[in-house]
Amino acid sequence: MTVRDLVVDLCTEHLDALGGDPVSLQTLVRLLAACGVAEPSARVAAAALRRAGWLGATRRGRETLVLPTALLRESVAARGERIQRRLDPWDGQWRMVVYSVPETDRAARERVRRGLARAGFGPLAPATWVSPHPSALDEVHAELAGERTSRLDLLTAHVADPRLSDVDLAARCWDLPRLAAAWSHVFDRLCAVAGQVPQGPAALALHLRLRADLRAVLAADPLLPAALQPPGWPARDVRDAWADTGARLAAAARAHVADVLRSPVVRTAVA
């Protein structure tokens, strides 16, 4: 989790939900302080997001006002759509990418691997990656469009060896025990607050940090179809707990943000 992640979630999960009006940079600093973020770090993160085009800025007197841009909102929406596509029913086919990058270009090879991982692929062999998702080939084509590889084959395949099941193949391509442990850690944190959701700054801090934990696990999880998941896969429990406890925590966090926006200190700052 980075301070930039916290700013993005604060803007898209809370400030947008409360109207999406520009807020003073001082307000962002005050809200992020609940997460233990020092003012210099908050200002550096906001400046980086402005350079990336994810935050816009205007002036009101001597105060800088910031707001999420359409580019940021589109990026967040695209991430949600990508996750939703991976939840579609499995058609029983594997999508396969076979690539070749010159041995001398290690940086390109690492970029290809990161792009494949972002597109939901796992390594079956060093230069052969697979994914069960129908949309995976389109995603990886977009991810690697700018890479100059000496070979890039996009294929659809199925398991023909009776000694190897689809579940076995999935277990070879992803570290499922490590992912299960990560999901279980998030679930345990949700259970710890299920009985009594905190209020005020503590609610905001916990909500943003839990969202960051969820995003980190989701980034590593290929979101395997149910037919390929090990028994007792904990992501299902996390989904149900987030729908309940996460929603109550988000409401408490948003109430705190609304209180801060209404406070006389903030109104004076943006006047």
Side-chain angles (χ1 to χ4, degrees), residues 7-207:
V7 175
V8 167
D9 282 348
L10 175 60
C11 289
T12 57
E13 287 295 311
H14 297 298
L15 296 178
D16 266 3
L18 292 169
D21 294 329
V23 299
S24 69
L25 188 55
Q26 178 184 339
T27 302
L28 279 184
V29 168
R30 182 179 174 188
L31 289 168
L32 290 170
C35 302
V37 177
E39 180 172 348
S41 297
R43 291 181 177 275
V44 167
L49 289 169
R50 288 172 58 186
R51 290 193 298 271
W54 283 21
L55 282 184
T58 60
R59 299 288 297 182
R60 184 179 295 173
R62 293 182 298 174
E63 185 64 40
T64 298
L65 306 181
V66 297
L67 74 164
T69 64
L71 181 62
L72 172 56
R73 295 186 178 103
E74 289 166 5
S75 177
V76 172
R79 183 173 62 200
E81 291 167 2
R82 183 168 61 248
I83 291 172
Q84 191 59 46
R85 284 195 300 270
R86 295 179 189 177
L87 299 178
D88 290 340
W90 187 39
D91 61 3
Q93 298 289 315
W94 290 91
R95 277 65 188 176
M96 179 180 294
V97 173
V98 181
Y99 70 90
S100 177
V101 177
E103 285 295 324
T104 55
D105 198 345
R106 294 184 179 179
R109 187 159 58 251
E110 287 304 312
R111 288 195 303 271
V112 168
R113 290 171 179 169
R114 288 196 298 268
L116 286 166
R118 282 193 298 270
F121 283 78
L124 179 61
T128 303
W129 291 51
V130 298
S131 168
H133 301 299
S135 62
L137 293 182
D138 289 336
E139 288 188 29
V140 81
H141 187 271
E143 281 281 354
L144 303 183
E147 291 293 342
R148 291 190 296 178
T149 56
S150 55
R151 175 184 176 185
L152 183 64
D153 298 327
L154 309 181
L155 311 168
T156 300
H158 67 275
V159 175
D161 187 343
R163 298 168 299 178
L164 178 69
S165 70
D166 291 302
V167 174
D168 294 334
L169 182 63
R172 286 172 53 179
C173 297
W174 290 277
D175 188 348
L176 298 183
R178 181 182 61 80
L179 281 170
W183 280 120
S184 294
H185 174 71
V186 174
F187 181 67
D188 290 344
R189 293 193 66 190
L190 283 167
C191 289
V193 299
Q196 185 173 5
V197 171
Q199 303 297 311
L204 178 62
L206 185 56
H207 184 249

Side-chain angles (χ1 to χ4, degrees), residues 215-226:
R215 184 169 50 249
V217 181
L218 279 170
D221 193 332
L223 297 178
L224 295 174

